[in-house]
Amino acid sequence: MGFDPVTVADRASERAIKRYLAQAFPEHGIVGEEFGTTQPDARFRWIIDPIDGTRAFIMGMPTWGTLIGLADGETPVLGVMHQPFTGERFWSAKSTAHMSCADSSKSRRLKTRACPTLDQAVFSATHPDLFATRAEKAVHARIKACARMTRYGGDCYAYCMLAAGHIDVIAEPGLKTYDIAALIPIIERAGGVVTTWDGTSALHGGDILACGDRALHAQILTLIASA
């Protein structure tokens, strides 16, 4: 996983998003993957990943997306994931989460599904090679061995599928704030939970665990601690 591609589209997209946000909210800070942070001490900070899943983007696979999140201090308050190729958009509202498609003027509410135990769960991660250290490999092996089914390659789209009730657990090490900040409120307001592997806030990235069911999340935190 040493190849970390950055395309012209990554940079151009972030410039366009930052330009709009700076005009609309000049007092807000901006945290971008490609061009860093402006106004880091601002109460409100927009957290941008212009193309999450650049490898998928290069390969023409529609699992990438544009992530835009908003944090109020240490609290994620808004998240959007937009997939321009398919026209799908996922976003958080005040207490709910929704998605819309390009061929429909209507949106539908997102809801995670009940799945209290790992032996019933669908587990996903972007790639098994993300689990590089001995400890990370042990966590991956334990979850995969216990899960009902495992699939890879979802990037940010997988997190939205978790919010939509199609995936039960995603575990990935070493994410950055711009990889996860926008997805936290989408999942949480669909009924799920997102933390680090030690159960703390995922806003600043790290080793991430997202589950659609809180009982499942608690079970996997225990599994990770023992692994």
Side-chain angles (χ1 to χ4, degrees):
M1 301 295 288
F3 176 55
D4 187 16
V6 177
T7 69
V8 171
D10 287 271
R11 296 190 177 99
S13 298
E14 185 168 316
R15 286 192 188 100
I17 295 167
K18 289 183 70 173
R19 184 164 56 248
Y20 175 83
L21 291 174
Q23 292 172 352
F25 307 102
E27 72 280 11
H28 290 191
I30 299 176
V31 181
E33 179 179 17
E34 307 305 332
F35 298 108
T37 301
T38 60
Q39 301 192 78
D41 297 326
R43 171 182 170 181
F44 293 101
R45 303 184 313 283
W46 295 92
I47 303 170
I48 305 164
D49 192 343
I51 300 180
D52 181 86
T54 304
R55 294 175 182 84
F57 173 75
I58 292 170
M59 295 171 65
M61 298 176 64
T63 57
W64 60 277
T66 296
L67 298 178
I68 302 175
L70 176 65
D72 178 354
E74 293 299 301
T75 303
V77 295
L78 174 69
V80 177
M81 193 289 266
H82 181 60
Q83 213 306 320
F85 183 77
T86 65
E88 292 172 288
R89 183 173 296 167
F90 303 80
W91 70 93
S92 66
K94 186 175 182 180
S95 59
T96 56
H98 302 265
M99 75 163 293
S100 63
C101 300
D103 59 355
S104 175
S105 60
K106 297 181 179 180
S107 66
R108 72 176 179 90
R109 185 170 174 176
L110 298 173
K111 183 174 176 55
T112 62
R113 65 184 176 194
C115 181
T117 60
L118 186 52
D119 62 347
Q120 303 173 24
V122 175
F123 165 51
S124 183
T126 298
H127 198 284
D129 285 354
L130 288 174
F131 301 84
T133 69
R134 183 176 179 180
E136 291 165 358
K137 289 177 180 178
V139 168
H140 172 256
R142 291 285 296 277
I143 297 175
K144 184 175 183 293
C146 296
R148 183 178 185 183
M149 184 173 77
T150 299
R151 297 293 294 175
Y152 300 109
D155 298 296
C156 60
Y157 194 83
Y159 288 87
C160 294
M161 291 300 95
L162 186 148
H166 301 297
I167 293 172
D168 302 299
V169 53
I170 300 172
E172 298 186 314
L175 299 193
K176 306 299 184 184
T177 183
Y178 41 75
D179 296 319
I180 193 64
L183 299 166
I184 295 171
I186 297 173
I187 291 171
E188 289 183 341
R189 288 165 200 176
V193 56
V194 186
T195 69
T196 62
W197 289 4
D198 59 5
T200 59
S201 171
L203 177 61
H204 297 289
D207 301 334
I208 302 301
L209 174 65
C211 293
D213 189 302
R214 289 186 175 275
L216 177 62
H217 182 266
Q219 179 189 356
I220 297 176
L221 284 182
T222 301
L223 181 151
I224 289 173
S226 66

